[in-house]
Amino acid sequence: QVQLVQSGAEVKKPGASVKVSCKASGYRFTSYGISWVRQAPGQGLEWMGWISAYSGNTNYAQILQGRVTMTTDTSTSTAYMEVRSLRSDDTAVYYCSRGTGSGAYGLDPWGQGTLVIVSS
Amino acid sequence: QSVLTQPPSVSGAPGQRVTISCSGSSSNIGSTYDVHWYQQLPGTAPKLLIYGNNNRPSGVPDRFYGSKSGTSASLAITGLQAEDEADYYCQSYDTSLRGVIFGGGTKLTVL
């Protein structure tokens, strides 16, 4: 079955970077893109950006421009998302999800989520 | 503040029908882009519930129904069950922001 499995929880200090992985299985990785979505404690869903697994083209949310980088490794069907210059308000559960650049057809499935805590 | 507006909470008794609204604008729901809905049970990842305004993925009961009209969309849930208690999010694409957008989420309580 189609599945996305993410890396484990991270605790980082302010100013540091974090890189989360998302390993896909059960479908042709390069036929879809990967969106990243985060959810701060008790808050709603925030789209962070999207990467095409076929071309590597990216589209980042304006609020994160310059601090986030999304990449893929087609040899291992894995997507990566890195956030730099972490702040306390980056504390959230980070999700990856399969989808198109516009989110057409919806985002499906979702990874299990990776908790990132930013604290001094 | 989310680009798509949802009520923070709705509630209903078992067996009843509830609707959750999602209000947008001409740059998102009112454009050619579809609306999708997600269900997030406590402590779990979101799950696609409705795609393309009114389509259910395999395995989603037909008690869940989506619709879109103009710059708004709605999710209706009939025959409420205790297991439906969750957060629900609408999602579309915004041509001005050039990105995927979500509603702020609606907490459904089954009384």
Side-chain angles (χ1 to χ4, degrees), chain A residues 39 59 103 105-107 110-111, chain B residues 36 38 40 45-46 89 93 97-98:
Chain A
Q39 185 172 35
N59 179 25
Y105 313 111
L107 302 178
W110 294 59
Chain B
H36 319 287
Y38 302 88
Q40 186 176 31
Y89 295 89
Y93 182 86
L97 297 174
R98 298 182 187 178

Side-chain angles (χ1 to χ4, degrees), chain A residues 35-37 39 43-48 50 59-62 95 97 100-113, chain B residues 2 33-34 36 38 40 43-48 51-52 57 87 89 91-93 96-105:
Chain A
S35 270
W36 290 89
V37 177
Q39 185 172 35
Q43 302 301 308
L45 303 174
E46 178 185 30
W47 180 76
M48 302 176 65
W50 172 86
N59 179 25
Y60 301 137
Q62 294 173 3
Y95 295 101
S97 183
T100 68
S102 65
Y105 313 111
L107 302 178
D108 180 58
W110 294 59
Q112 83 276 20
Chain B
S2 303
Y33 291 96
D34 290 337
H36 319 287
Y38 302 88
Q40 186 176 31
T44 69
K47 167 193 162 186
L48 181 65
Y51 68 94
D87 293 324
Y89 295 89
Q91 176 247 306
S92 187
Y93 182 86
S96 297
L97 297 174
R98 298 182 187 178
V100 169
I101 53 173
F102 287 97

Side-chain angles (χ1 to χ4, degrees), chain B residues 32-69:
Chain B
T32 59
Y33 291 96
D34 290 337
V35 176
H36 319 287
W37 291 89
Y38 302 88
Q39 178 192 59
Q40 186 176 31
L41 297 170
T44 69
K47 167 193 162 186
L48 181 65
L49 194 66
I50 297 287
Y51 68 94
N53 303 320
N54 55 15
N55 300 287
R56 287 181 300 275
S58 173
V60 174
D62 58 7
R63 301 187 295 106
F64 295 90
Y65 177 79
S67 63
K68 170 185 163 180
S69 178

Side-chain angles (χ1 to χ4, degrees), chain B residues 4-47:
Chain B
L4 301 179
T5 302
Q6 297 180 234
S9 63
V10 297
S11 63
Q16 284 190 332
R17 177 182 186 272
V18 297
T19 61
I20 299 172
S21 60
C22 176
S23 178
S25 68
S26 58
S27 64
N28 42 70
I29 295 178
S31 69
T32 59
Y33 291 96
D34 290 337
V35 176
H36 319 287
W37 291 89
Y38 302 88
Q39 178 192 59
Q40 186 176 31
L41 297 170
T44 69
K47 167 193 162 186

Side-chain angles (χ1 to χ4, degrees), chain A residues 20-118:
Chain A
V20 179
S21 68
C22 169
K23 184 171 176 59
S25 61
Y27 71 98
R28 180 175 292 182
F29 184 63
T30 52
S31 293
Y32 297 84
I34 295 288
S35 270
W36 290 89
V37 177
R38 69 180 180 179
Q39 185 172 35
Q43 302 301 308
L45 303 174
E46 178 185 30
W47 180 76
M48 302 176 65
W50 172 86
I51 182 166
S52 166
Y54 175 75
S55 65
N57 288 345
T58 55
N59 179 25
Y60 301 137
Q62 294 173 3
I63 194 171
L64 286 165
Q65 284 278 1
R67 286 207 302 134
V68 66
T69 301
M70 296 175 186
T71 56
T72 59
D73 181 344
T74 56
S75 69
T76 60
S77 298
T78 303
Y80 299 91
M81 187 280 303
E82 181 181 37
V83 181
R84 298 176 295 280
S85 302
L86 286 166
R87 310 184 294 241
S88 58
D89 61 358
D90 290 317
T91 293
V93 176
Y94 290 73
Y95 295 101
C96 61
S97 183
R98 187 182 70 168
T100 68
S102 65
Y105 313 111
L107 302 178
D108 180 58
W110 294 59
Q112 83 276 20
T114 296
L115 175 62
V116 174
I117 297 173
V118 182

